[in-house]
Amino acid sequence: MEDCVGFKVLPVKVNENSKVIRHFFLKMHLTRDKCAQKPEYQTLFVVGVPEFCNQKIMKHAFRRCGKVKSVFFHNEPTPIEPEVLPSKYFIPKSIKGFKVAYVVFAHTSGLENALSLKCTESEPFILSTQCAPITNIVNRWCENYNDNIVDVRELQSEIDTYMSEYDKTSAARIQIEKETVDNEDEDGWKTVSKKGRNPGFARKEAIKNNIMKNEAKKKIKKTLKNFYRFQIKETKINQLMELRNKFDNDKSKIELLKQSRKFRPF
Amino acid sequence: MTLDIIPTMELTTGDKCGTKRKKKQNPDGGKKIKPPTAEELNKLRETENLFLSNMFRLQIDEMLKEVKPKQSTLDKIQEWFDKFSIAVLQDIDTTDYKKELLSNINLSEINTPFHLNPQNNTDGTFRFTKPCSVKIVGSHSLGTSILPLIKVDISIVMGKNFFHKKDYADEKYLRKKAFYLQCLAKELMKIPFMIDNDDVQFSFGSQSYYLPSLIVKPIGTLGKKCCFCLRVVPEKDIYNLHKFSPNINNINGQWYFNSSVENYDSKNYSTPYYNSLILQDLVMDESEMLLKEIIEINQNVQDALILLKIWIAQKNLGGIGNITNYILSMYVVYLFKKHKINKFMSSYQIIRNVWLNFGQSNWHNDGITLVDYESKKDNNLKLPLMSDFHSSFPVVFVDSSGYLNLCANVFKSNYIHIKNESNFAVEMLDNSNMNSFPCLFLTKASFLQQFDHLINFNDIKIIKDIVSQHSDKKSKLDLREDLALQFQQIIEPLLLSSLGDRITEMCFNVYQDSVVMGKTQEPFSNFLIGLKLNTQKANSVVERGPIANLPEVAKEFRSFWGEKSQLRRFKDGDVCEAVVWADSKAAISKKRCIIRDIVNYVFLHKLSISSEKFIYIADQAESVLENPFILPVGFDYGTGEAASLCCIDNFNEVGKLIRQLEGLPLTVSSVQGVSSVLRYADVIPPLSRTHVDNKKQRKTKGNCILAPTDEEIKIAPGFVKPIEGVLQFASSGKWPNELNAVKRMITAFYINLAARLQKDCNLTCQPFVNHIDIMKNGFVFRFRIYYPGEVSLLKKELMPDGMIRYRDTEESQYLERSMVQLPTLTSSLHGLSVQYPSYGPTCCLAKRWLRSQLIDNFHFPEMCIELLVASYFLQPEPFKVTCQPTIGFLHFLRKLATTDWFREFIVINFNNDIPKDHISSLECSIASQPKNSSRPAMLLVTPYDLDGSSWTKEGPSFTILARLMHLSRKALDIAEESLLKNGTVENLKQIFRPSLDKYDILIRLRNIMNPLRHMAVDAKMAKIYSLEPPEDKEKIPIVGLNPVQELLNVLRDSYSEHALFFHDTYGGNVIGVVFKPNVFNKVDFKVTNVNGQKLHKSSSNIKQVEFNLDAFIEDIDVHGGFIVKEVEKCNKSLFCNN
């Protein structure tokens, strides 16, 4: 395989009959942030994977290098651990378009084999075989459609367990809040929350802005506007300014219209 | 531009100083403000008093600058005229021309541009001689001529030796004038470096057929800027004006009819039109003096006249029968005399007063006169009475001599049309919500777009037949070959009496071609009649006549309508004569064209012209909305309105059922629609149907039919489009405070709702994770629940200091758009289509056209189209809202073609809810934006989206818009020409067939996999499917499977960086691919840019990747499978190797 800026270039064919060579770019997965599901020295990082490659196809294709434990897809390279899906139904949206794949082998040998594959342009790596065929868009749509039709009872029970869990945790949180409220700590500070005898306001940006606005208003009320002579003079000047400004604004608008040759009636 | 910025910059800094001074009380800061000069103060104040606004004044100034000729041009014109007058008065050699009897003139040598009938006069002589004098008259002499083509009127004054005493009778005067011009043209062409010899022609302008003027262009560059209209006029006081009173006959009936007329009495055969032709020349000097006296010295009046001239010109009412500039100038003089205008008024005030007074005028009943009766009293002249004028002419405006009706040629309908337009203009000026200036002066209004229905006669022979059969002897004698007026006099009363209050306005437009030298021209080439319909009455299927027991009136009604008239009992118990035009259950598209049926009937029975003899323009484009291969149950499909209505009714019913459910955890507070069909704007509205396509038992799960996965689909099942809506619950404090929990709660509601609807209402329902599907009457409804808290949860952000703030995220914006804005817009637009029933079909036509150009929802979202169309319906100025979708579609094309998308935005002002200062501040902000800023190409400002970007963020792009501007301009031209010249549906359809050149790759699709194949523009199907009524307890069919659309989506997901994909959503069987310009450039290897690329083979160390074109083509097949029939590689330069 050819080298390319730290990547190996793997020539790939979609299936036996295909005549078109594509390139996958392979590399050992190495990051500073360690990740349990993508262990070092076992994980192959693949870039440029087309949309139709699903888990099954990738697993089957890389089987020849060694046993594949799992395959993860992402939109772009990411150190983030793949989410453990908590639910069968509430799943994030599937990845669209080209993606990157993390192929986790069961043994380090799998990775080594993969990186030293002896594929050439004339004898490329074959992605899809009989047992893992590539499906076209209509099939994929149909499968997806059928999967979306849920089993109502199962879904309901899943929701129920989630909600009872949620209720429990939120109840616990409220309990803690309640306990901490109005208790002085060692240095004499009190935690203020929305609850309790003397509740504070929520710490939101909008509320803060409102308070600042009110303050500014108060300030304006206090100042005298036409007390000194210069102030009266100034208001007159300002009026004139406003007129001039308006005039100039209009002029700039006209200028704009002129640019688009708007004034030629014919 | 830069020059203008500098003063503003100064001002802002000055302003800052001012505020600084306030604080520091530093008197030095104030010096930077320029003290206002008296002139500036005056100007500012003047603007407020004399003009509508700053903007209006500035715009007037700018436009006048554009249209007024430069001094250098004026000098050149004067120079040419001096040369011309010397040539005509001195140099011309007239010795070759001998005196000849008019009866002996060799017509093959000198000819007239108009027909001579009868060919020869019995007396009179003609000889080409030198004129007494030549002078410039008309608009140029008054200083009101305008670019781009300055028309200079030149009077050639002939003396008494040319016009004889008796010449005014029997057309001799007119013929001699024409002969003279012909000879003059010949002589002028002999003079070197004088006129452009290739471009000498006769033109009727807006004059009568018998008064052509000779148009010559100076040779050289001046010829591009101006032309000279030469007219022959007699010397002053050559005839007594008294001879041309409207009730006097000047044409011998015996001579004209070539036989004696029974009961011929010249008193009964007065020739008012003929008289006015001669009078025009006789009173010219006097009117010229009058005009000069008032206009020449007054710059503001000149400006006002130019403005009026532009206003009229933009209406495109050029030919005979209209209010001309000359009449308008005379009217300004009239208003001056009546002290409605004075010399202290600004140009704005003058035009406003002209419009105001014209709008209130009543010239067809109570004409006006410029005669000062007081001063003429002592002259002891007996001027013709106003009643004489009214009995001879439909519109009366008498000139200062008291003999000439300036409006002799004006059609009554056209006068009323201009009168209405004047009122409309004042209305626009008073409308503070719009910038009226461009509407009044800068928008060109083609005749086609100003009306709803049009009738076009383009065969002069048919008109000749009609006139010769139906015109009476008197007007034949008076007008002779001038067919336009005679035809109009026949048609106008006929249409008015047969259409009655179905129309509000009627207008005639006569197209006269100019004539090449030495040829004879027909009076006109096209005769167009525009009808503006009365939306309240136009579509009524029954014409109710008088009650049967009024025999007199009933008889009249019966004799007018003939066999069509029948006795009918009406709901109020009356038995009336009535004419029935259509079944009351007929499709709306048919009802819209009832007027056509009436016109066809009347023309056939009264004038015996069948409908092939003329073109009736009304609903030509709408045929593309028809659905010829599917027969729905219970209504006539037409253009789909009934189908939409059926969807809306069912949607409301489902909504009602949901709201009536009791005992839900939270009560449903609102049910709102989202789908375009609920706005009457779906090109293919869903139809109620049984969905078992091939009666085969299908596998099911829950309440749904499963999509087949074990076998490949080889024929696309019928496309089922869900009708979508949004549910909102009454507010409650019990919602959880976490996003995931909220999502689960909503899903739980779907389950609950489905169970209840199934149990209580017996509806087939299926809950999903993100929505619920409900089946009713063969429709699938899809509802989503909107909980406002979800948006704020999505927006919530925790700052590092513990502060919570809310920021828009992509997801929150999407949610808000689809759950808040879309339902509000849907109800607003639904309201609009109730107000204007043509709104829906117009939207559909606009969509259909855009899609047919392979611009689909990805490039130009549906909502943008609907809002663009809505902007025309909400603010149609300077037009009026049309009730015919085909015309509305032309307006959409115009809007798309003429808007400058780089500098303008569209305002869709429902209920005028957008504050005025917001619009002006937006204008300023766009004005100050740099040219290539990242704003969306299109801005659609609605009261619900004041930035105007929420629907246009993803598209259309500037590239697409630029292409569409080009396409729409072309389409508009082709459509107008096709409608006027051909008028058939098939011919107009060409604008719905896109060109497939210029695409790099064409993906041909298997038609059978396209579920919308029956709606393609040129669809051919083996049979017509009749739908069956829905069955009970049907399972929910496979919803939303459109293989072609899925293929497009997947290609776009993978390759939108590399290529653009184009497809006609409505049944198109081809996908066009265009690669982006820099796709084939090699780029350096980076992890982020290897998608769809392959390593470029090279020996160098720099690793580069290039686009993998073969893989791209293979992907089309891999994804498409059975859908793709063929991938056609069109761009030879890309595929030359293969």
Side-chain angles (χ1 to χ4, degrees):
Chain A
M1 278 191 294
E2 225 177 315
D3 273 319
C4 173
V5 206
F7 282 86
K8 298 262 183 201
V9 182
L10 178 68
V12 170
K13 253 179 19 176
V14 174
N15 53 29
E16 202 61 56
N17 306 325
S18 170
K19 288 191 183 83
V20 180
I21 305 291
R22 296 149 193 267
H23 288 163
F24 276 9
F25 298 89
L26 314 180
K27 192 184 176 180
M28 184 164 74
H29 177 60
L30 265 180
T31 48
R32 261 171 285 161
D33 313 310
K34 299 281 180 278
C35 164
Q37 287 177 58
K38 301 174 195 163
E40 275 181 336
Y41 307 115
Q42 286 176 31
T43 310
L44 179 71
F45 176 47
V46 191
V47 197
V49 183
E51 186 172 342
F52 52 77
C53 291
N54 54 18
Q55 300 238 357
K56 194 176 168 193
I57 290 173
M58 289 299 270
K59 265 187 189 172
H60 274 273
F62 282 96
R63 181 73 191 85
R64 56 194 270 200
C65 307
K67 197 179 172 202
V68 178
K69 203 161 85 182
S70 50
V71 178
F72 301 108
F73 292 118
H74 293 279
N75 265 328
E76 45 198 27
T78 166
I80 299 170
E81 221 164 308
E83 242 181 283
V84 186
L85 294 180
S87 150
K88 194 176 150 196
Y89 298 104
F90 294 89
I91 40 179
K93 276 186 190 135
S94 58
I95 296 163
K96 303 266 164 121
F98 283 97
K99 49 199 172 184
V100 298
Y102 293 92
V103 182
V104 185
F105 289 99
H107 305 284
T108 47
S109 62
L111 178 67
E112 277 159 25
N113 290 341
L115 287 174
S116 54
L117 274 170
K118 287 214 173 49
C119 291
T120 56
E121 298 275 308
S122 52
E123 218 179 298
F125 186 79
I126 289 163
L127 268 180
S128 156
T129 48
Q130 279 286 317
C131 46
I134 288 173
T135 52
N136 66 30
I137 183 68
V138 179
N139 287 345
R140 265 181 278 157
W141 187 91
C142 290
E143 272 166 30
N144 192 22
Y145 180 83
N146 294 347
D147 289 346
N148 274 339
I149 302 171
V150 292
D151 184 324
V152 176
R153 228 170 287 156
E154 215 178 288
L155 178 61
Q156 184 67 53
S157 72
E158 198 198 289
I159 292 171
D160 288 345
T161 49
Y162 185 92
M163 287 316 291
S164 61
E165 192 79 4
Y166 171 81
D167 287 344
K168 252 185 242 164
T169 49
S170 60
R173 205 180 56 231
I174 288 165
Q175 191 61 37
I176 292 169
E177 257 175 38
K178 249 186 199 165
E179 279 163 13
T180 52
V181 152
D182 295 341
N183 286 350
E184 266 180 44
D185 68 2
E186 301 155 2
D187 299 336
W189 292 98
K190 254 186 198 175
T191 313
V192 183
S193 80
K194 274 191 280 185
K195 302 232 162 51
R197 205 176 297 152
N198 195 4
F201 49 82
R203 287 204 64 194
K204 286 179 184 168
E205 201 185 28
I207 292 176
K208 187 185 129 194
N209 288 348
N210 259 343
I211 293 170
M212 301 307 263
K213 225 186 256 168
N214 285 339
E215 287 297 308
K217 254 188 207 165
K218 273 181 207 162
K219 228 181 198 174
I220 289 171
K221 259 186 199 166
K222 276 177 200 162
T223 50
L224 288 169
K225 259 182 204 152
N226 42 8
F227 184 75
Y228 300 106
R229 188 180 288 161
F230 82 87
Q231 283 179 321
I232 297 167
K233 205 169 140 197
E234 205 153 72
T235 45
K236 274 186 189 162
I237 291 177
N238 281 343
Q239 270 171 1
L240 181 74
M241 279 308 180
E242 214 168 279
L243 270 180
R244 267 191 197 168
N245 253 341
K246 223 182 120 200
F247 192 72
D248 287 326
N249 266 341
D250 286 344
K251 248 191 178 165
S252 67
K253 271 186 219 164
I254 295 284
E255 206 52 50
L256 186 82
L257 290 172
K258 236 171 155 182
Q259 277 172 23
S260 49
R261 295 173 182 281
K262 271 285 167 185
F263 291 111
R264 292 223 181 124
F266 310 114
Chain B
M1 183 84 193
T2 45
L3 274 175
D4 273 18
I5 284 173
I6 295 162
T8 31
M9 295 279 282
E10 269 175 14
L11 283 181
T12 45
T13 47
D15 211 352
K16 263 182 204 161
C17 285
T19 50
K20 228 187 245 168
R21 199 182 58 162
K22 206 188 214 169
K23 280 175 195 165
K24 290 183 184 170
Q25 300 202 3
N26 176 10
D28 292 345
K31 275 184 188 167
K32 287 194 178 168
I33 306 171
K34 265 190 294 178
T37 56
E39 200 186 338
E40 189 186 357
L41 274 178
N42 249 350
K43 202 169 181 185
L44 288 175
R45 199 168 305 136
E46 200 183 47
T47 305
E48 268 179 14
N49 297 336
L50 299 183
F51 289 86
L52 192 57
S53 66
N54 259 334
M55 272 302 263
F56 208 89
R57 179 188 198 155
L58 286 167
Q59 290 182 92
I60 287 180
D61 290 348
E62 286 301 329
M63 191 176 70
L64 288 178
K65 238 186 265 167
E66 284 284 340
V67 295
K68 274 189 188 169
K70 279 187 211 126
Q71 190 56 44
S72 62
T73 322
L74 294 180
D75 291 346
K76 268 188 204 158
I77 290 175
Q78 190 57 44
E79 202 180 299
W80 190 89
F81 175 71
D82 291 343
K83 215 168 104 188
F84 170 80
S85 54
I86 289 170
V88 174
L89 293 174
Q90 296 170 11
D91 295 354
I92 284 183
D93 181 19
T94 57
T95 46
D96 285 356
Y97 295 91
K98 297 278 171 311
K99 195 172 201 171
E100 261 181 285
L101 283 172
L102 278 180
S103 49
N104 283 347
I105 275 188
N106 184 359
L107 288 173
S108 59
E109 246 176 58
I110 26 178
N111 206 344
T112 55
F114 48 83
H115 287 293
L116 294 179
N117 184 29
Q119 277 235 328
N120 286 316
N121 285 86
T122 46
D123 57 345
T125 54
F126 171 77
R127 187 186 171 197
F128 182 69
T129 53
K130 280 178 191 164
C132 309
S133 64
V134 288
K135 56 184 175 185
I136 294 182
V137 295
S139 65
H140 189 70
S141 67
L142 295 172
T144 60
S145 56
I146 54 171
L147 293 169
L149 191 68
I150 304 166
K151 264 186 158 181
V152 185
D153 291 298
I154 295 181
S155 282
I156 298 168
V157 186
M158 298 306 295
K160 277 183 182 139
N161 55 351
F162 182 75
F163 286 118
H164 302 291
K165 237 182 191 173
K166 284 273 175 186
D167 275 354
Y168 64 85
D170 297 350
E171 260 186 39
K172 275 173 285 184
Y173 176 83
L174 302 173
R175 290 180 186 196
K176 278 174 88 170
K177 276 175 71 170
F179 290 148
Y180 187 88
L181 284 177
Q182 184 101 12
C183 298
L184 181 68
K186 265 186 210 159
E187 287 302 318
L188 281 177
M189 281 158 89
K190 282 183 200 160
I191 302 172
F193 305 115
M194 189 70 183
I195 56 168
D196 187 357
N197 285 357
D198 302 329
D199 207 358
V200 179
Q201 42 181 236
F202 282 102
S203 156
F204 301 110
S206 49
Q207 291 281 353
S208 156
Y209 179 52
Y210 284 104
L211 285 181
S213 51
L214 182 67
I215 309 270
V216 295
K217 282 185 177 166
I219 205 154
T221 47
L222 189 59
K224 282 181 190 128
K225 283 190 195 141
C226 69
C227 65
F228 291 83
C229 306
L230 312 182
R231 280 198 191 88
V232 176
V233 294
E235 243 178 344
K236 224 176 166 186
D237 304 329
I238 199 164
Y239 300 120
N240 191 343
L241 297 183
H242 199 65
K243 284 178 189 154
F244 304 100
S245 287
N247 44 11
I248 289 193
N249 171 298
N250 278 321
I251 291 181
N252 188 347
Q254 203 149 357
W255 167 74
Y256 180 69
F257 293 114
N258 204 13
S259 63
S260 58
V261 184
E262 275 173 58
N263 310 327
Y264 181 76
D265 176 5
S266 64
K267 271 195 185 147
N268 293 340
Y269 287 84
S270 60
T271 52
Y273 287 99
Y274 176 76
N275 296 352
S276 70
L277 294 184
I278 301 170
L279 262 176
Q280 264 180 42
D281 294 344
L282 298 179
V283 301
M284 202 154 187
D285 274 337
E286 195 180 335
S287 349
E288 195 72 18
M289 296 251 285
L290 200 60
L291 284 170
K292 277 208 172 139
E293 179 192 321
I294 284 162
I295 296 167
E296 207 177 28
I297 44 160
N298 200 331
Q299 185 61 42
N300 285 343
V301 179
Q302 286 177 21
D303 288 351
L305 279 177
I306 291 179
L307 290 175
L308 288 172
K309 216 169 171 179
I310 294 172
W311 174 70
I312 283 276
Q314 298 292 27
K315 302 258 160 294
N316 257 321
L317 293 167
I320 192 170
N322 288 298
I323 299 287
T324 58
N325 296 321
Y326 184 66
I327 295 174
L328 276 179
S329 336
M330 290 312 268
Y331 188 53
V332 169
V333 169
Y334 171 80
L335 290 178
F336 225 96
K337 298 228 150 170
K338 291 272 169 216
H339 307 293
K340 304 262 183 187
I341 296 175
N342 59 49
K343 58 183 173 182
F344 302 110
M345 283 183 169
S346 71
S347 55
Y348 163 73
Q349 283 170 316
I350 294 173
I351 51 169
R352 195 188 152 83
N353 274 314
V354 170
W355 281 329
L356 211 60
N357 286 301
F358 197 97
Q360 288 159 359
S361 68
N362 211 2
W363 298 357
H364 51 300
N365 293 326
D366 185 15
I368 56 171
T369 172
L370 271 168
V371 180
D372 193 355
Y373 284 104
E374 291 294 307
S375 65
K376 296 234 171 175
K377 232 179 214 171
D378 34 291
N379 277 1
N380 210 8
L381 273 170
K382 222 182 155 203
L383 293 176
L385 300 170
M386 274 315 248
S387 58
D388 294 339
F389 283 109
H390 275 295
S391 58
S392 314
F393 301 106
V395 185
V396 176
F397 177 13
V398 181
D399 87 322
S400 56
S401 71
Y403 288 97
L404 173 67
N405 177 15
L406 293 165
C407 293
N409 287 331
V410 173
F411 303 150
K412 189 173 150 197
S413 298
N414 289 29
Y415 161 71
I416 292 173
H417 178 66
I418 293 291
K419 190 178 138 177
N420 291 341
E421 287 291 325
S422 300
N423 284 329
F424 193 40
V426 176
E427 228 172 83
M428 275 191 255
L429 287 179
D430 291 345
N431 185 347
S432 60
N433 281 317
M434 57 183 278
N435 180 4
S436 48
F437 187 84
C439 300
L440 287 168
F441 300 109
L442 300 173
T443 317
K444 206 175 202 125
S446 82
F447 192 73
L448 211 56
Q449 289 170 28
Q450 293 178 57
F451 295 92
D452 296 325
H453 287 195
L454 293 108
I455 308 165
N456 184 16
F457 289 90
N458 51 8
D459 192 350
I460 191 80
K461 272 186 208 136
I462 291 159
I463 291 176
K464 266 187 185 159
D465 286 351
I466 295 171
V467 168
S468 72
Q469 281 171 29
H470 297 274
S471 184
D472 60 17
K473 279 222 156 126
K474 182 179 171 296
S475 49
K476 268 186 194 166
L477 184 67
D478 192 5
L479 291 162
R480 299 170 313 283
E481 288 297 311
D482 194 349
L483 296 177
L485 278 160
Q486 291 185 71
F487 185 60
Q488 188 266 345
Q489 283 170 3
I490 297 165
I491 283 278
E492 189 175 44
L494 187 64
L495 285 176
L496 281 177
S497 58
S498 58
L499 298 176
D501 56 359
R502 284 175 193 263
I503 56 170
T504 56
E505 257 182 78
M506 181 160 61
C507 190
F508 302 92
N509 202 3
V510 185
Y511 290 89
Q512 292 155 309
D513 296 335
S514 44
V515 201
V516 192
M517 273 272 297
K519 289 251 171 66
T520 301
Q521 184 73 16
E522 299 294 344
F524 54 88
S525 57
N526 265 8
F527 192 94
L528 252 177
I529 307 165
L531 304 174
K532 192 89 201 143
L533 309 193
N534 174 3
T535 36
Q536 317 272 305
K537 297 276 175 64
N539 296 354
S540 80
V541 289
V542 181
E543 184 82 48
R544 188 167 158 165
I547 303 174
N549 52 21
L550 293 170
E552 281 292 304
V553 203
K555 203 178 164 195
E556 198 181 305
F557 186 84
R558 204 168 251 284
S559 71
F560 186 82
W561 290 112
E563 66 210 47
K564 264 274 180 189
S565 174
Q566 49 185 246
L567 278 179
R568 281 217 155 201
R569 182 190 293 279
F570 284 87
K571 267 185 192 155
D572 55 5
D574 289 348
V575 178
C576 294
E577 289 285 344
V579 182
V580 182
W581 292 105
D583 188 15
S584 62
K585 274 184 191 161
I588 297 173
S589 55
K590 276 208 188 98
K591 285 189 191 166
R592 267 199 293 263
C593 290
I594 282 181
I595 290 198
R596 176 174 55 193
D597 300 340
I598 299 176
V599 168
N600 282 345
Y601 177 85
V602 169
F603 278 6
L604 186 64
H605 286 80
K606 301 282 164 187
L607 304 176
S608 42
I609 14 178
S610 57
S611 56
E612 314 91 65
K613 299 256 173 76
F614 56 92
I615 297 169
Y616 195 99
I617 301 163
D619 65 343
Q620 271 81 346
E622 279 138 82
S623 73
V624 292
L625 298 179
E626 283 160 14
N627 190 346
F629 299 108
I630 292 179
L631 282 180
V633 189
F635 54 86
D636 188 359
Y637 188 86
T639 49
E641 286 103 328
S644 297
L645 188 64
C646 191
C647 291
I648 293 171
D649 286 346
N650 277 295
F651 180 86
N652 291 341
E653 246 171 77
V654 173
K656 205 169 149 201
L657 287 176
I658 293 176
R659 258 177 299 164
Q660 278 170 352
L661 287 179
E662 274 171 21
L664 288 174
L666 284 172
T667 47
V668 176
S669 67
S670 77
V671 181
Q672 288 175 297
V674 168
S675 282
S676 56
V677 67
L678 304 175
R679 309 184 284 266
Y680 291 96
D682 200 345
V683 178
I684 312 179
L687 291 169
S688 159
R689 53 188 295 184
T690 18
H691 295 280
V692 191
D693 270 307
N694 35 8
K695 301 279 183 238
K696 216 165 49 176
Q697 268 303 310
R698 300 278 194 148
K699 278 191 214 153
T700 60
K701 179 177 170 189
N703 279 325
C704 294
I705 293 171
L706 281 176
T709 45
D710 37 0
E711 58 187 301
E712 201 180 351
I713 294 182
K714 288 277 159 116
I715 176 165
F719 183 55
V720 181
K721 204 177 190 180
I723 301 167
E724 296 183 44
V726 170
L727 299 177
Q728 212 171 334
F729 288 114
S731 57
S732 150
K734 285 181 182 164
W735 285 90
N737 208 359
E738 188 225 353
L739 196 59
N740 281 328
V742 167
K743 279 190 177 155
R744 279 162 178 81
M745 284 306 293
I746 288 174
T747 309
F749 270 120
Y750 292 134
I751 297 172
N752 190 331
L753 214 55
R756 287 294 309 277
L757 282 173
Q758 207 138 6
K759 208 176 99 202
D760 296 6
C761 313
N762 212 5
L763 291 175
T764 314
C765 297
Q766 176 69 33
F768 291 85
V769 175
N770 289 321
H771 54 87
I772 176 174
D773 278 0
I774 301 167
M775 182 92 174
K776 185 170 192 325
N777 284 345
F779 292 107
V780 179
F781 296 94
R782 177 165 289 180
F783 285 98
R784 292 192 174 84
I785 291 172
Y786 172 61
Y787 163 56
E790 200 181 345
V791 176
S792 48
L793 282 173
L794 281 169
K795 280 184 176 178
K796 198 164 161 183
E797 260 176 38
L798 193 66
M799 308 264 286
D801 62 350
M803 174 91 72
I804 293 166
R805 65 171 193 182
Y806 295 93
R807 285 285 180 276
D808 284 337
T809 63
E810 222 166 87
E811 211 175 339
S812 80
Q813 276 177 332
Y814 173 76
L815 196 69
E816 236 172 325
R817 213 162 55 203
S818 57
M819 303 285 227
V820 185
Q821 289 181 9
L822 196 52
T824 10
L825 269 182
T826 302
S827 65
S828 291
L829 291 175
H830 178 260
L832 190 67
S833 57
V834 171
Q835 194 184 350
Y836 304 113
S838 58
Y839 168 71
T842 306
C843 272
C844 295
L845 279 175
K847 283 184 184 179
R848 183 89 225 214
W849 180 78
L850 269 177
R851 302 304 182 231
S852 75
Q853 306 304 315
L854 307 189
I855 305 287
D856 68 353
N857 198 42
F858 177 85
H859 294 298
F860 206 119
E862 275 197 323
M863 197 29 105
C864 297
I865 307 175
E866 287 174 38
L867 287 176
L868 258 186
V869 176
S871 77
Y872 158 69
F873 277 86
L874 285 168
Q875 208 181 71
E877 286 86 356
F879 300 92
K880 286 174 185 147
V881 169
T882 177
C883 58
Q884 194 65 42
T886 300
I887 306 295
F889 168 62
L890 295 182
H891 280 287
F892 167 78
L893 289 179
R894 178 184 55 86
K895 193 131 208 165
L896 202 56
T898 56
T899 309
D900 181 357
W901 297 105
F902 295 87
R903 298 187 187 86
E904 284 177 60
F905 55 93
I906 303 280
V907 179
I908 301 108
N909 207 344
F910 294 109
N911 311 322
N912 285 333
D913 278 345
I914 305 176
K916 232 173 103 185
D917 16 326
H918 175 77
I919 294 178
S920 62
S921 72
L922 203 61
E923 269 169 1
C924 285
S925 81
I926 286 185
S928 60
Q929 254 169 16
K931 235 186 175 173
N932 22 0
S933 65
S934 59
R935 73 170 172 95
M938 191 184 250
L939 289 178
L940 301 169
V941 183
T942 61
Y944 324 114
D945 172 30
L946 290 173
D947 295 335
S949 59
S950 71
W951 301 103
T952 53
K953 235 172 239 160
E954 279 101 42
S957 61
F958 278 118
T959 327
I960 294 291
L961 274 177
R963 179 171 162 77
L964 280 176
M965 277 168 86
H966 172 73
L967 284 174
S968 53
R969 202 168 301 142
K970 278 265 147 46
L972 189 60
D973 290 348
I974 294 174
E976 292 208 345
E977 191 177 314
S978 154
L979 285 173
L980 285 176
K981 296 258 164 74
N982 187 297
T984 57
V985 169
E986 206 39 52
N987 195 285
L988 187 65
K989 257 191 186 176
Q990 60 178 314
I991 62 167
F992 290 95
R993 294 188 190 105
S995 141
L996 291 179
D997 314 343
K998 304 278 165 107
Y999 290 102
D1000 290 330
I1001 293 177
L1002 287 178
I1003 307 173
R1004 304 257 175 210
L1005 306 171
R1006 230 174 276 272
N1007 219 357
I1008 208 153
M1009 288 299 279
N1010 193 340
L1012 299 177
R1013 56 190 177 275
H1014 62 278
M1015 283 305 282
V1017 173
D1018 295 307
K1020 285 193 185 70
M1021 299 285 279
K1023 62 174 182 177
I1024 293 171
Y1025 294 86
S1026 326
L1027 298 182
E1028 290 157 33
E1031 293 162 19
D1032 280 348
K1033 286 275 144 210
E1034 236 183 308
K1035 295 278 181 197
I1036 296 172
I1038 306 169
V1039 179
L1041 172 57
N1042 186 345
V1044 178
Q1045 197 57 45
E1046 294 305 320
L1047 176 64
L1048 260 176
N1049 290 347
V1050 81
L1051 287 176
R1052 280 191 178 131
D1053 286 339
S1054 297
Y1055 289 104
S1056 57
E1057 284 169 41
H1058 307 100
L1060 295 176
F1061 299 88
F1062 298 89
H1063 175 243
D1064 178 3
T1065 316
Y1066 304 121
N1069 58 0
V1070 66
I1071 295 176
V1073 183
V1074 174
F1075 290 111
K1076 290 194 176 172
N1078 46 7
V1079 161
F1080 296 101
N1081 296 353
K1082 294 167 192 76
V1083 284
D1084 290 344
F1085 177 88
K1086 246 189 255 162
V1087 178
T1088 46
N1089 63 9
V1090 294
N1091 290 346
Q1093 312 276 47
K1094 64 182 178 190
L1095 192 70
H1096 175 63
K1097 273 182 216 127
S1098 73
S1099 50
S1100 80
N1101 277 333
I1102 306 154
K1103 297 291 180 190
Q1104 282 189 313
V1105 285
E1106 60 182 351
F1107 182 59
N1108 196 344
L1109 185 57
D1110 296 329
F1112 170 74
I1113 289 167
E1114 194 186 50
D1115 272 5
I1116 296 170
D1117 273 319
V1118 170
H1119 286 300
F1122 192 66
I1123 309 169
V1124 178
K1125 191 162 81 182
E1126 189 195 350
V1127 178
E1128 195 179 313
K1129 299 161 189 169
C1130 306
N1131 190 339
K1132 293 281 183 310
S1133 64
L1134 289 178
F1135 303 103
C1136 54
N1137 313 348
N1138 307 19

